[in-house]
Amino acid sequence: MANPRRNSYSNNTENTFQLQYHSRLSSLKHFLKKPLAFPLLLSIFLLLAWICLRLQHSSSSLSSSNLHEIKSSQEEDEKANLIKFKSGFLSSKDKRGWLLDPVSIALEYGIKGGAVSCFSIHVGEIKPGGVRGNHRHHTCNETIVIWGAKTLFRLENNQIVDKGYAEVIVSADEVAVAASPSGTAHAIVNMDRTHTAYILGCQDSMINNNSSATDFSVWKDL
Ligand SMILES: *[C@@H]1O[C@H](CO)[C@@H](O)[C@H](O)[C@H]1NC(C)=O
Ligand SMILES: *[C@@H]1O[C@H](CO)[C@@H](O)[C@H](O)[C@H]1NC(C)=O
Ligand SMILES: *[C@@H]1O[C@H](CO)[C@@H](O)[C@H](O)[C@H]1NC(C)=O
C-alpha cells in the first residue's frame, strides 16, 4: 500500500519546485524588461545569427562541391559532343512531359558537327545489354537523341590520348542530345538491367550501308 506521508511529502516538494519555477520565470520576465537585459538579448541574437551563418556556409560549400561535379561532368559531355538534361527539367514547363527539337538544342548548346537538317531519320529502341552504332559513317553528319535507360554513349575523339574516344553515361532519368560528325565513329550501349533505351538519329543524307560509306564494328570491346 502507498505511504500517505510519503505522497504528501512528494506532493509538497513538487509544489515547492513548481513555485520556485514560477518565481524564477517571473523574475526572468522582470529581468528581460530591464535595460540591463539588452546586452544579453543582443548576444543571444548574435549567437543565433552566427549559427545560421555557419549552417549556410556548410551548405554552400556542399553546393560548391556539387558544382565541381557538375562542371567536370560537363567537360566529359563536351568531349563526347553531348548535352544532357534531367527529363524532369525538360518537362518542368509542360505537364504532358518533354518535347524537344534536337537540331535547335544542339545549336543552342554548342554541340557541333551534327545534322543541321534531317534528310533521313531513324527511331528505335535498345534492349538491356544491346549495342547500336559502333560504326563510322563517312557520308553523313548525325544528331542523336538518347533517353529511357542508363546508356553509354561513345564518340570517337582523337584528342583523348590512348583511348581515342570519349564516353558519357546517360542516366535513365536523363535525355541526351549528341552529334557525330561525318567520319566520326559512335556507339550506344544500353547498360541498364531493366529499362529499354530509345534513340533517334537524324542524318543529313541517306545512310549508305555499303562498306565504302560506313566502317562497321569499329571498337572490338563493345
Ligand atoms: C556535314 O557537315 C559539314 C560541315 O560541318 C558539311 O560540310 C557537310 O556538307 C555535311 N554533310 C555531309 C553529308 O557531310
Ligand atoms: C543498314 O543496315 C542496317 C543493319 O545493319 C539496317 O537496319 C538498315 O535498314 C540498313 N539501311 C539501309 C539504307 O540499307
Ligand atoms: C557506297 O556508298 C557510297 C556513298 O553513298 C557511294 O558513292 C557508292 O557508290 C556506294 N557503292 C556501292 C557499291 O553501292
Side-chain angles (χ1 to χ4, degrees), residues 28-39:
L28 183 68
K29 275 184 194 158
H30 262 99
F31 173 70
L32 288 180
K33 281 178 191 160
K34 286 181 186 167
L36 197 69
F38 183 70

Side-chain angles (χ1 to χ4, degrees), residues 1 3-4 6 11 14 28 48 54 84 99 101 116 126 130 137 140 149 154 173 178 193 211:
M1 213 182 112
N3 183 343
R6 204 166 161 201
N11 274 348
E14 242 169 56
L28 183 68
L48 287 175
R54 292 294 302 185
K84 282 187 303 201
L99 179 76
D101 174 348
V116 180
I126 312 173
H137 298 305
C140 75
R154 183 187 285 187
D173 66 343
R193 284 164 174 243
S211 58

Side-chain angles (χ1 to χ4, degrees), residues 156-201:
E156 193 167 30
N157 181 339
N158 295 327
Q159 288 178 329
I160 312 291
V161 189
D162 298 333
K163 286 201 252 174
Y165 59 78
E167 280 182 335
V168 163
I169 289 177
V170 181
S171 310
D173 66 343
E174 288 176 325
V175 183
V177 175
S180 180
S182 183
T184 310
H186 55 261
I188 304 152
V189 183
N190 185 346
M191 301 171 72
D192 213 293
R193 284 164 174 243
T194 50
H195 296 100
T196 295
Y198 299 94
I199 55 161
L200 178 144

Side-chain angles (χ1 to χ4, degrees), residues 8-188:
S8 72
Y9 168 76
S10 68
N11 274 348
N12 278 346
T13 43
E14 242 169 56
N15 285 343
T16 339
F17 278 137
Q18 268 180 359
L19 270 175
Q20 275 180 351
Y21 174 74
H22 279 296
S23 72
R24 270 187 201 156
L25 204 68
S26 63
S27 61
L28 183 68
K29 275 184 194 158
H30 262 99
F31 173 70
L32 288 180
K33 281 178 191 160
K34 286 181 186 167
L36 197 69
F38 183 70
L40 180 75
L41 288 175
L42 187 69
S43 44
I44 289 172
F45 172 76
L46 284 176
L47 182 73
L48 287 175
W50 179 76
I51 290 169
C52 281
L53 280 176
R54 292 294 302 185
L55 286 177
Q56 215 173 22
H57 179 77
S58 61
S59 73
S60 77
S61 63
L62 195 81
S63 65
S64 84
S65 78
N66 282 353
L67 206 67
H68 174 75
E69 232 169 65
I70 290 167
K71 236 182 154 182
S72 60
S73 98
Q74 268 174 359
E75 278 165 23
E76 295 307 304
D77 294 356
E78 265 171 44
K79 286 176 196 157
N81 210 22
L82 171 150
I83 178 95
K84 282 187 303 201
F85 301 94
K86 290 275 176 210
S87 54
F89 167 76
L90 285 178
S91 61
S92 59
K93 286 181 194 135
D94 191 334
K95 280 182 186 160
R96 296 169 297 180
W98 58 269
L99 179 76
L100 60 81
D101 174 348
V103 170
S104 60
I105 288 237
L107 280 176
E108 191 178 331
Y109 289 90
I111 308 298
K112 293 192 181 78
V116 180
S117 62
C118 305
F119 183 86
S120 151
I121 297 175
H122 292 77
V123 186
E125 57 178 11
I126 312 173
K127 299 233 166 98
V131 181
R132 281 197 187 276
N134 199 7
H135 55 212
R136 186 190 291 115
H137 298 305
H138 290 287
T139 55
C140 75
N141 304 297
E142 188 165 3
T143 300
I144 303 161
V145 187
I146 304 164
W147 73 98
K150 184 181 176 185
T151 308
L152 177 91
F153 176 72
R154 183 187 285 187
L155 183 74
E156 193 167 30
N157 181 339
N158 295 327
Q159 288 178 329
I160 312 291
V161 189
D162 298 333
K163 286 201 252 174
Y165 59 78
E167 280 182 335
V168 163
I169 289 177
V170 181
S171 310
D173 66 343
E174 288 176 325
V175 183
V177 175
S180 180
S182 183
T184 310
H186 55 261
I188 304 152

